[in-house]
């Protein structure tokens, strides 16, 4: 079975641009969560979606938004990129809303220049 | 954002040594998780703890959920070269609100390196 897949794997953007990151959960998983991992730090929670609804939001500005599609895949959108948005963006999927079966993808490395 | 206090920040060890690392928080958690992250990869779950006082093993790894629900430790016995990497603790915060029940709060990680 395929694990959590994220695309693209690497991305370079210019300040002020917009970016869309994509995540496909493990088959059968209905929850997708997004995390930002800045170099040298642990992952920070951004969003959780379950059954296509936002179920949790971390302390991130409104420039960050996400959605979940009927097939449970998800997109993370970031507008007006700042240099400080450079990070590894991780997606995790789980069966339900809890942490049972919580599995991370390999992430998208975003560099803002 | 909030992060757990994880120590030590880094460790240099010899092959065959035992390793200990721990994580503390000012908040109560109802679940503790330990992950390992290799370069260019996402975190991989090593051990999950669901009850205060619980002691769980996974091969050479042993982890405990502190009785106060505010701490956890991870031990690795007889370390081998493939144990090198970054280890993260993560907790699920006990909260009365909705979606915030399900986020994970991570420590800053412990970098484990091995002397050749």
């Amino acid at each position: 079975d395929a694990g959590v897949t994220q695309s693209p794997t690497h991305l370079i953007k210019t300040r002020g641009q917009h970016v869309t990151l994509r995540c496909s959960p493990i088959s059968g998983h209905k929850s997708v969560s997004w995390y930002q991992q800045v170099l040298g730090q642990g992952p920070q929670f951004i969003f959780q979606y379950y059954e296509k609804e936002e179920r949790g939001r971390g302390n991130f500005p409104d420039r960050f938004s996400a959605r979940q599609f009927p097939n449970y895949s998800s997109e993370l959108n970031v507008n007006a990129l700042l240099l400080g948005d450079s990070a590894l963006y991780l997606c995790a999927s789980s069966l339900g809303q809890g942490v049972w079966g919580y599995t991370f993808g390999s992430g998208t490395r975003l560099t803002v220049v | 954002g909030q992060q757990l206090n994880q120590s030590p920040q880094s460790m240099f060890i010899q092959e065959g040594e035992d390793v200990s690392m721990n994580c503390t928080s000012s908040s109560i958690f109802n679940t503790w998780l330990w992950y390992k992250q290799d370069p260019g990869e996402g975190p991989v779950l090593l051990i999950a703890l669901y009850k205060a006082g619980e002691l769980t093993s996974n091969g050479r790894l042993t982890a405990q959920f502190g009785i106060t629900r505010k701490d956890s430790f991870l031990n690795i016995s007889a370390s081998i070269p493939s144990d090198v990497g970054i280890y993260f603790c993560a907790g699920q915060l006990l909260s009365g609100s909705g979606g915030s029940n399900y986020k994970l709060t991570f420590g800053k990680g412990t970098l484990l390196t091995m002397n050749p």
Side-chain angles (χ1 to χ4, degrees), chain A residues 57-73:
Chain A
R57 184 184 182 112
N59 188 24
F60 280 81
D62 291 343
R63 298 184 296 108
F64 289 77
S65 63
R67 55 180 175 167
Q68 187 176 34
F69 299 99
N71 66 354
Y72 302 108
S73 67

Side-chain angles (χ1 to χ4, degrees), chain A residues 35 37 40-45 48 55-56 59 88 90 97-100 102 104-107, chain B residues 1-3 31 33 35 37 40-43 50 88 92 98-100 102-104 106-108:
Chain A
Y35 288 79
Q37 187 177 20
Q41 302 289 320
Q44 293 277 340
F45 174 76
Q48 185 197 35
R55 301 301 180 108
N59 188 24
L88 180 67
L90 294 162
Q97 294 188 77
V99 297
W100 185 257
Y102 217 80
F104 283 89
S106 296
Chain B
Q2 177 187 13
Q3 287 201 320
T31 302
L33 305 170
Y35 287 89
Q37 187 173 27
E41 299 293 327
Y50 299 103
F88 289 99
Q92 184 189 40
S100 63
Y102 305 111
K103 75 170 186 179
L104 292 181
F106 281 81
K108 290 188 177 182

Side-chain angles (χ1 to χ4, degrees), chain B residues 11-85:
Chain B
M11 301 180 72
F12 289 91
I13 60 170
Q14 301 277 0
E15 185 173 353
E17 279 186 15
D18 294 344
V19 173
S20 286
M21 59 190 78
N22 67 75
C23 215
T24 60
S25 170
S26 57
S27 303
I28 290 173
F29 286 90
N30 62 351
T31 302
W32 282 93
L33 305 170
W34 284 92
Y35 287 89
K36 180 173 183 277
Q37 187 173 27
D38 292 325
E41 299 293 327
V44 174
L45 182 66
L46 300 173
I47 291 181
L49 302 157
Y50 299 103
K51 288 184 182 178
E54 180 181 356
L55 184 72
T56 297
S57 293
N58 178 9
R60 294 179 296 105
L61 278 60
T62 301
Q64 186 159 28
F65 192 147
I67 198 74
T68 64
R69 295 178 175 265
K70 292 184 178 181
D71 63 328
S72 178
F73 72 76
L74 174 71
N75 288 339
I76 305 173
S77 63
S79 56
I80 59 178
S82 61
D83 291 334
V84 165

